[in-house]
Each structure stands twice: as C-alpha cells, then as structure tokens.
C-alpha cells in the first residue's frame, strides 16, 4: 500500500481492493459532483488583508473550522521550515487553538513594497481520544497599499551615482513622519528592526563621525591613531570618505533620526539598480508607555551604476540526476542541484518545488516524515534536503522527475529546473524501513504506533524481524499490550498494540531510536514524535513593582509595573480577578481621556496594555495599600493561579514587591495634614 505523503488524516484505509466496473464508474461520477471532493475540516478560508508595513489580526470570519468546540481538541500550527511562505511577514503565535479569540492571531508585515501577496502554510490537528487527524492548507495574505501612512517618502529619492558611492543624507527632504496631530504620543524609529534582515543587501548605512582636533604644532601626528580618522571603514583601496562609521541597529526619536545625517554607502558590486533600508516607527503613549501604532517601511536607494536585477540560473556543473536506493531516504546535494546568481549570496537563494515527484516526496531532515515544497540553498548545501522514495517495491528501476524554480533575495525567479530521480532495485536481505510518518499527539495523550505510520520490509522473513528501543523517549514511554515494553515484533506493529505515552510535560518534541534486526542483519532508525501543547498551565506573574503616589491621587497602572504571562494561551486575555480589594483606594477602569472611571472587580491584561486601568487613593490617612488577585487564562474552564497573600514590603520608588499575587502601593501625604 502506498500512503499519501501529506495526507489529511493520520489514519488511512487498508490496501485498495478491486471494484466491479459499474461500482468503479459510479464512484468516479460521485467524485466529480460538488461536495464529493476530499473531506476537509476547513469550512471558511478567505485569507487575511493587511496594509503594507502594518499588522492585522485574523478574524473568525477569515478562517473557520467545521469542528465543534465541545467535541474534540483542535490546534493549528504554523509550518516554519517553508521559506517560500511568510516571505515578507510573520504569523504569530506559532501554535493556536482552532477556536481562536479576537486579537489573538496576528500577521505582521515587514514593510517590503515588492510583493502584493504572501502565504502562510498551516497544519490543522484534530485530536480525539484515540486518533489524530491532520490537514495541511495555505492561508493567503493580501497586502494592500495604505492610504494614510505615518512614514511618508518624498519625491527626493536616495541615489548613489556609482559603485562604492555615497548617497545624500536621510533628512526631512527625503522622509517625513506624519503624526503631528497625535497629542501625547512619543515617536521613535528603529533602524534594521528585524535581526538578520540583511538590509541593505548591497551597502551599509553610515553616519558622520566627529573629526578629531588637528594636532598642535608641538604634538607629533602619531599621537592621533588612524582609526580615529575613520580610515578603518572597509572599502576597496581605502577610497571611502573619511569621518564616516557604520551605523548598527539602533532606536532614536523621530526628530533625531532626521537630524543624524545618516547616509547609504554602496559596498558590494555587482548589484541591482535598487537597494533598501529597513526601518520601523513606533508611536507610544507618553503616559502608559503603550505602543499606539507601529509601522515598517523599506526606504529605496537607487544605484545609478547598477543594472536591473537578473534572474537566477541553473548551475553549469550540477548533474541534475539523483540515484536512489529503494526505500532509502537520500540527501540531495549541490552536485545534483545547484543554481547561480550574481547579485544574491548563494545561502539566501530559495528553491520552490513546482512539480512534485509522482511518488515519494522531497523532505527536510529536520522532520523527514513530512514533505516540503521549498527549501534554501544553505539547507541544500548542508545536506538537509532529501528525497523519500515510495514504500512500494518494484523489480525494475523507476524514473521520476522533480521540477523546481530558484528565487533570489528580491524574489526574481529562474526558469524551471528539472531534477531526474532514478530508483534502483534493492538486493539485500537486511531489514529496511519503507515508511515512517512519525506520530502526532496532544500533550499528555497516548497513541498507538501503527503499521500505517511505521512500515518495515525484509526479503527473508518479516516474521523474524524484531525492534528494540535503544534511545530517545525523553518525554514519554512505550508500552506493548499495556505493559512496559522495549522489544516487539512487526506483528505487534500491525496489531496496533505498541503505544507511546507522553508524560504530560511542557515538551513539543520526542523521538524513539529503534534497533531493527532479523537475526542476521540490523539497522538503527529514528521515529519522530510531534507533541502539540494543550492549555493546562495557569498564568504566572512576571512584573510586580511597587509604585508611589501622592495622597488622594489617581495613577495609571502601566503594563511595565504589573504583568503576567501564560505559556499556552494569549497574554492579552489573562484576567486579574481581585479576591481582596484595596482598603485605602480602589481599582478603576477609565475607558478614555475625559471619561469618568468606575471601580471594577477585575480586569484583562489587554486593558493594562491599553492604559485604562488606574488606582485611586481615597485621600485618607492610610499610606500603604495592597490588593490580592488570582490570575485566570482564557481556557474553558479557566486555569487559575494559586492565590497568595504577601506581607507589605518596605516601600521605595521602583523597588519590586515580594513574589506572589499581591500588589502594594505607597502613598505620601503632606506634612502637617
């Protein structure tokens, strides 16, 4: 039996049986009718619309699943090892519940102006008591042009007239920030906001360095090291302008950013005729320190001496032929597949599989049980990309083809490249693993390792093959027929009596290493186990800082003063349930400036982040106060933190309180009152 490499479900039918011609014809007709396509758990998938440079939350109307909330556990995982997805943004968190909450799942765009669409590869898991069902699908991200940017680029573009040249300064004639109407907001700009973004790709951002004083007549010139004069700036032949230094990643106010005299310096010919500088702007409320709005942008730099970006091309020395032994996972190398591109460093090139092999699949060794549809040149060079042959045996050599396209750093693609795969027949009596899809389960569950997931072939006598556990099992254990077991047979696998039991720890990966032998030959094989987290941990406090205020004052409780976190669910929906209210004041919610506040018995953490939770001192002669709370998460029923009563500390400004769930205030009255 051949299994689909990325099937919807971890369970499959048995081997196909021949059907009478009339029944076969009827089945084919039914499959052509609407509603008779392959079953899916996805009821709505409209994608998400995001303004370029901004972020947007995934709404319930954008993505829905036909899985009752009360029936089975259901999780969605963002697939991270597909470089052709999330090319200009990122979807967070990496794992979330199918019935996600508003403002929980967010796509953040990095400001790239080149693409108008992005994709995110998602994997849906439905967990019943006994089975795991899986479905992989694509969420489309439609990138829209914003109509009211804060970052405004003028017609005076940055330009470099020649290779190794220097642009004009980035100032208000090139760039402006339109936020003057927002009172009480602080504007900051971060250069190179995403570590590893590799922008600029063909140059660097430099800023003027104060020149040292000229030596006096009575001082030898050697007292002034050359490095002070800026001659250590790396450029061919030392032809760079003196008095400049490379600007790393930094964050400054918007006004200061435009006054720093930052310039672009070209350093890497040959290059395309355009490069980019990546920046991110944050508008922060001055009182609450809450980020009101964030915006990212790629500032273009035109290189007059450059040429339009060239497409990648197949390398001349590669063979484009892969020889594979039957059943054996075989790595691709740059001797088999390679490409070239003058403007992009090879490690940054990406291969996209446009035509998958008709049988078997291309995979990444990070998880060889799942197919991949794209990979980087670096992973190819590191021999992390492989071809998994089908699990069917043939007496003659088989030939398949894989078609790929190569993409460069600025998303130009090559002509199709074809790799020929030739599968040799096997001539060995040693046992071999013919199929390995791994195991998927929810944290704390147990699952049978079945023949559908782990198949073994042996030319001599399959009944003589035995498996021994020799490694792994860091977060669980194996049982055979309900008892402890480390030795079992192929018949046990086929009977479904070998089970993996997870230890309910907060782990996401496990594996088992088997030694498989038939009495004469033996091999070792790794069986991976993927564990999806469940929401079973209560929130915990990470910030608990004493504040000071005047007698009778109302003060904003900032997110930096009081903050909790949850390992399994959104921090925004952590609820602070007040079990012992303050005695000398009250906790209030004030929805906005100029609005009347009102006392509340509890509040969400996102209310803290939005700057609407306050403490009001009544003005009495009690100068120390506290309140006790229990943290709830968004799970139904909620996971609760343990309530703790903490004695009042000695108060001083900014000193953290003792650990636990109490929060304390210190109020100062006027002398003589």
């Amino acid at each position: 039996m051949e299994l689909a490499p990325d099937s919807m479900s971890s369970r499959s039918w048995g081997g196909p049986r021949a059907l009478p011609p009339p029944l076969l014809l009827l089945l084919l007709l039914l499959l052509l009718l609407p509603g008779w396509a392959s079953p899916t758990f996805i009821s709505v998938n409209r994608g998400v619309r995001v303004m370029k440079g901004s972020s947007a939350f995934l709404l319930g109307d954008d993505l829905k699943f036909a899985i009752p909330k009360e029936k089975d556990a259901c999780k969605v995982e963002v697939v991270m090892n597909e470089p052709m997805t999330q090319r200009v943004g990122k979807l967070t968190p990496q794992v979330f519940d199918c019935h996600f909450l508003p403002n929980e799942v967010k796509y953040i765009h990095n400001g790239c102006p080149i693409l108008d669409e992005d994709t995110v590869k998602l994997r849906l898991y439905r967990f019943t008591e006994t089975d795991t069902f899986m479905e992989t699908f694509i969420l489309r991200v439609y990138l829209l042009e914003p109509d009211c940017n804060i970052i405004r680029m003028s017609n005076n573009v940055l330009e470099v007239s020649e290779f190794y040249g220097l642009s004009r300064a980035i100032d208000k004639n090139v760039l402006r920030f339109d936020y003057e109407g927002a009172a009480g907001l602080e504007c900051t700009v971060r250069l190179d906001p995403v570590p590893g973004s590799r922008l600029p790709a063909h140059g660097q951002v430099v800023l003027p360095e104060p020149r040292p004083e000229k030596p006096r007549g009575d001082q030898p010139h050697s007292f002034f090291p050359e490095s002070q004069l800026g001659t250590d700036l790396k450029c061919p032949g030392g032809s760079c302008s003196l008095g400049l230094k490379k600007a790393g990643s930094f964050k400054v106010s918007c006004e200061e950013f435009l006054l720093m005299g930052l310039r672009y310096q070209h350093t890497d010919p040959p290059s395309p005729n355009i490069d980019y500088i990546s920046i991110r702007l944050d508008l922060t409320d001055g009182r609450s320190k809450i980020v009101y709005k964030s915006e990212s942008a790629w500032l273009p730099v035109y290189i007059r001496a450059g040429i339009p970006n060239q497409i990648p091309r197949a390398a001349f020395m590669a063979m484009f032929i892969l020889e594979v032994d039957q059943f054996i996972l075989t790595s691709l190398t740059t001797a088999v597949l390679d490409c070239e591109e003058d403007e992009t460093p090879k490690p940054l090139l990406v291969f996209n599989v446009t035509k998958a092999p008709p049988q078997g699949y291309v995979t990444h060794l990070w998880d060889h049980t799942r197919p991949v549809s794209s990979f980087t040149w670096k992973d190819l060079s590191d021999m992390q990309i492989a071809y998994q042959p089908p699990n069917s045996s043939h007496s003659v050599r088989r030939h398949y083809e894989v078609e790929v396209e190569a993409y460069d750093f600025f998303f130009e693609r090559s002509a199709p490249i074809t790799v020929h795969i030739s599968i040799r027949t096997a001539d060995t009596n040693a046992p071999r693993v013919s199929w390995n899809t791994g195991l998927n389960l929810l944290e704390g569950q147990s699952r049978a390792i079945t023949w559908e997931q782990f198949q073994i072939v042996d030319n001599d006598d399959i009944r003589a093959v035995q498996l021994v556990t020799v490694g792994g099992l860091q977060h669980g254990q194996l049982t055979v027929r309900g008892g402890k077991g480390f030795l079992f047979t192929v018949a046990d696998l086929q009977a479904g009596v070998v089970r993996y039991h997870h230890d309910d720890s907060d782990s996401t990966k496990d594996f088992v290493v088997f030694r498989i032998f038939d009495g004469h030959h033996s091999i070792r094989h790794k069986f991976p186990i993927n564990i999806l987290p469940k929401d079973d941990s209560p929130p915990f406090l990470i910030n608990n800082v004493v504040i000071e205020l005047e007698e009778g004052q109302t003060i904003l409780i900032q997110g930096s003063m009081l903050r909790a976190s949850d390992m399994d669910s959104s921090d925004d929906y952590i609820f602070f349930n007040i079990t012992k209210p303050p005695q000398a004041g009250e906790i209030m919610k004030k929805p906005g400036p100029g609005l009347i506040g009102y006392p509340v018995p509890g509040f969400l953490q996102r209310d803290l982040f939005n700057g609407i939770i306050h403490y009001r001192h009544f003005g009495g002669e009690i100068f120390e106060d506290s309140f006790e709370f229990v943290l709830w998460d968004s799970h139904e029923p909620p996971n609760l933190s343990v309530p703790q009563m903490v004695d009042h500390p000695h108060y001083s400004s900014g000193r953290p309180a003792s650990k636990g769930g109490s929060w304390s205030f210190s109020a100062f009255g006027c002398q003589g009152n």
Side-chain angles (χ1 to χ4, degrees):
M1 177 186 73
E2 292 191 17
L3 300 178
D6 200 8
S7 59
M8 178 194 73
S9 168
S10 63
R11 294 181 60 82
S12 306
W13 294 331
R17 298 179 181 177
L19 294 175
L23 288 178
L24 184 60
L25 179 61
L26 178 61
L27 179 61
L28 291 174
L29 289 173
L30 287 174
L31 289 173
L32 294 176
L33 293 176
W36 281 85
S38 58
T40 176
F41 294 125
I42 305 164
S43 57
V44 176
N45 184 4
R46 295 175 181 159
V48 59
R49 285 161 176 76
V50 185
M51 294 293 178
K52 290 183 179 179
S54 300
S55 61
F57 288 103
L58 189 63
L59 304 177
D61 293 336
D62 299 331
L63 185 63
K64 290 183 180 179
F65 304 100
I67 300 174
K69 187 175 182 179
E70 302 78 16
K71 189 174 183 182
D72 296 324
C74 176
K75 296 287 183 179
V76 181
E77 178 186 31
V78 181
V79 178
M80 301 301 292
N81 63 334
E82 289 279 3
M84 279 299 292
T85 64
Q86 301 189 92
R87 293 193 286 174
V88 292
K90 186 177 182 181
L91 190 76
T92 59
Q94 187 181 346
V95 179
F96 55 92
D97 197 87
C98 291
H99 307 281
F100 52 89
L101 299 169
N103 300 340
E104 181 180 3
V105 182
K106 180 166 65 173
Y107 178 88
I108 305 171
H109 186 250
N110 67 9
C112 172
I114 302 173
L115 299 183
D116 294 325
E117 187 174 310
D118 199 4
T119 56
V120 181
K121 191 172 185 179
L122 299 173
R123 192 166 285 130
L124 168 71
Y125 298 91
R126 180 177 183 175
F127 301 98
T128 68
E129 288 298 322
T130 57
D131 299 306
T132 300
F133 300 91
M134 183 179 68
E135 183 175 357
T136 302
F137 64 99
I138 294 293
L139 176 73
R140 298 200 175 277
V141 182
Y142 303 100
L143 303 172
L144 311 177
E145 294 294 338
D147 51 3
C148 54
N149 270 7
I150 300 174
I151 302 174
R152 300 291 182 92
M153 301 179 193
S154 72
N155 294 326
N156 298 320
V157 297
L158 289 180
E159 188 177 66
V160 176
S161 59
E162 59 185 357
F163 291 149
Y164 304 114
L166 201 64
S167 76
R168 62 180 296 174
I170 301 174
D171 55 21
K172 62 182 180 180
N173 296 317
V174 175
L175 197 63
R176 67 185 179 92
F177 306 120
D178 189 9
Y179 69 98
E180 287 80 2
L185 294 180
E186 299 173 355
C187 181
T188 56
V189 174
R190 183 182 294 275
L191 182 70
D192 190 21
V194 181
S197 66
R198 300 181 182 271
L199 287 176
H202 303 285
Q204 60 189 7
V205 179
V206 295
L207 69 160
E209 188 173 26
R211 292 180 178 272
E213 296 180 3
K214 293 183 179 180
R216 299 192 308 268
D218 59 345
Q219 286 180 323
H221 184 72
S222 59
F223 282 1
F224 291 82
E226 287 189 357
S227 60
Q228 279 188 277
L229 302 175
T231 54
D232 61 340
L233 193 65
K234 294 182 179 179
C235 275
S239 60
C240 294
S241 302
L242 300 182
L244 297 173
K245 65 177 181 180
K246 182 178 179 180
S249 178
F250 62 84
K251 180 179 180 180
V252 295
S253 69
C254 293
E255 293 80 4
E256 185 180 353
F257 183 80
L258 297 178
L259 297 174
M260 293 177 68
L262 294 169
R263 298 169 183 262
Y264 171 89
Q265 185 174 49
H266 186 263
T267 60
D268 185 30
S271 69
N273 56 3
I274 190 169
D275 201 357
Y276 296 92
I277 299 171
S278 176
I279 62 173
R280 189 185 76 201
L281 178 146
D282 290 326
L283 284 182
T284 307
D285 185 272
R287 292 177 64 244
S288 66
K289 304 304 179 185
I290 304 301
V291 177
Y292 172 74
K293 187 173 183 180
S294 290
E295 197 171 287
S296 298
W298 285 16
L299 184 62
V301 183
Y302 296 94
I303 303 165
R304 191 180 298 174
I307 60 174
N309 190 19
Q310 303 298 299
I311 65 172
R313 57 193 179 275
F316 178 72
M317 295 300 293
M319 297 184 298
F320 304 104
I321 299 175
L322 180 66
E323 290 278 343
V324 179
D325 287 321
Q326 190 170 267
F327 305 130
I328 303 302
L329 183 70
T330 305
S331 291
L332 278 78
T333 67
T334 52
V336 173
L337 172 64
D338 201 1
C339 68
E340 298 172 344
E341 221 262 2
D342 295 329
E343 299 93 352
T344 300
K346 270 194 170 184
L348 302 183
L349 295 173
V350 173
F351 292 94
N352 183 40
V353 179
T354 54
K355 181 183 175 183
Q359 293 189 351
Y361 56 88
V362 178
T363 186
H364 194 293
L365 295 186
W366 179 70
D367 183 358
H368 65 270
T369 66
R370 307 177 192 274
V372 296
S373 56
S374 60
F375 51 90
T376 64
W377 184 93
K378 183 179 185 304
D379 286 340
L380 179 70
S381 176
D382 293 342
M383 300 182 69
Q384 293 298 300
I385 307 303
Y387 171 72
Q388 172 63 58
N391 63 334
S392 55
S393 178
H394 289 264
S395 58
V396 295
R397 183 182 283 255
R398 288 168 289 168
H399 302 278
Y400 300 130
E401 289 183 353
V402 178
E403 188 177 278
V404 300
E405 293 174 343
Y407 284 75
D408 69 6
F409 186 71
F410 290 131
F411 313 117
E412 290 290 342
R413 65 179 179 180
S414 71
I417 302 171
T418 301
V419 177
H420 302 272
I421 299 175
S422 181
I423 304 177
R424 297 185 289 253
T425 58
D427 186 19
T428 177
N429 291 326
R432 288 154 294 160
V433 175
S434 63
W435 198 249
N436 178 1
T437 65
L439 202 61
N440 300 288
L441 70 159
L442 192 64
E443 180 184 310
Q445 285 188 329
S446 68
R447 284 288 183 269
I449 302 176
T450 67
W451 188 247
E452 296 169 344
Q453 298 149 348
F454 198 51
Q455 298 182 14
I456 299 165
V457 294
D458 186 83
N459 286 343
D460 296 342
D461 185 5
I462 192 67
R463 293 173 297 181
V465 174
Q466 293 183 313
L467 296 89
V468 178
T469 304
V470 294
L473 292 176
Q474 297 172 342
H475 305 289
Q477 62 177 352
L478 286 185
T479 61
V480 179
R481 292 186 172 84
K484 250 185 179 180
F486 66 95
L487 174 68
F488 56 92
T489 65
V490 170
D492 294 329
L493 273 180
Q494 294 172 332
V497 297
V498 181
R499 295 186 72 86
Y500 170 82
H501 302 259
H502 184 244
D503 61 7
D504 208 14
S505 61
D506 289 326
S507 50
T508 59
K509 298 288 181 185
D510 204 356
F511 64 94
V512 190
V513 178
F514 294 116
R515 185 168 71 87
I516 306 171
F517 63 97
D518 61 0
H520 303 285
H521 312 89
S522 72
I523 61 169
R524 292 168 69 95
H525 198 86
K526 181 178 177 180
F527 182 79
I529 299 167
N530 186 39
I531 302 150
L532 274 293
K534 68 179 180 182
D535 192 354
D536 61 348
S537 300
F540 54 91
L541 208 58
I542 56 176
N543 277 3
N544 187 4
V545 177
V546 173
I547 65 169
E548 298 176 353
L549 67 157
E550 298 293 332
E551 180 181 354
Q553 183 184 359
T554 298
I555 191 167
L556 174 71
I557 303 176
Q558 299 178 9
S560 59
M561 301 174 179
L562 181 64
R563 184 166 187 167
S565 186
D566 193 326
M567 298 179 62
D568 302 321
S569 57
S570 172
D571 287 356
D572 282 356
Y573 287 90
I574 295 174
F575 185 74
F576 290 75
N577 183 44
I578 299 173
T579 55
K580 182 180 178 182
Q583 301 300 307
E586 61 185 357
I587 303 299
M588 302 175 59
K589 181 180 288 189
K590 196 175 180 182
L595 299 178
I596 298 174
Y598 54 92
V600 291
F603 51 89
L604 290 171
Q605 180 151 276
R606 68 175 179 179
D607 294 335
L608 275 177
F609 294 162
N610 291 332
I612 62 175
I613 302 301
H614 297 72
Y615 169 79
R616 183 174 76 89
H617 186 244
F618 291 146
E621 297 299 314
I622 303 176
F623 301 119
E624 290 185 352
D625 203 2
S626 67
F627 71 93
E628 184 182 289
F629 53 83
V630 174
L631 300 171
W632 298 3
D633 65 9
S634 57
H635 188 259
E636 294 183 5
N639 296 301
L640 308 180
S641 68
V642 178
Q644 299 182 50
M645 172 58 80
V646 179
D647 293 333
H648 294 305
H650 296 289
Y651 298 112
S652 62
S653 178
R655 180 175 175 180
S658 304
K659 66 178 182 178
S662 289
W663 207 54
S664 303
F665 308 89
S666 180
F668 294 89
C670 299
Q671 292 291 332
N673 282 351

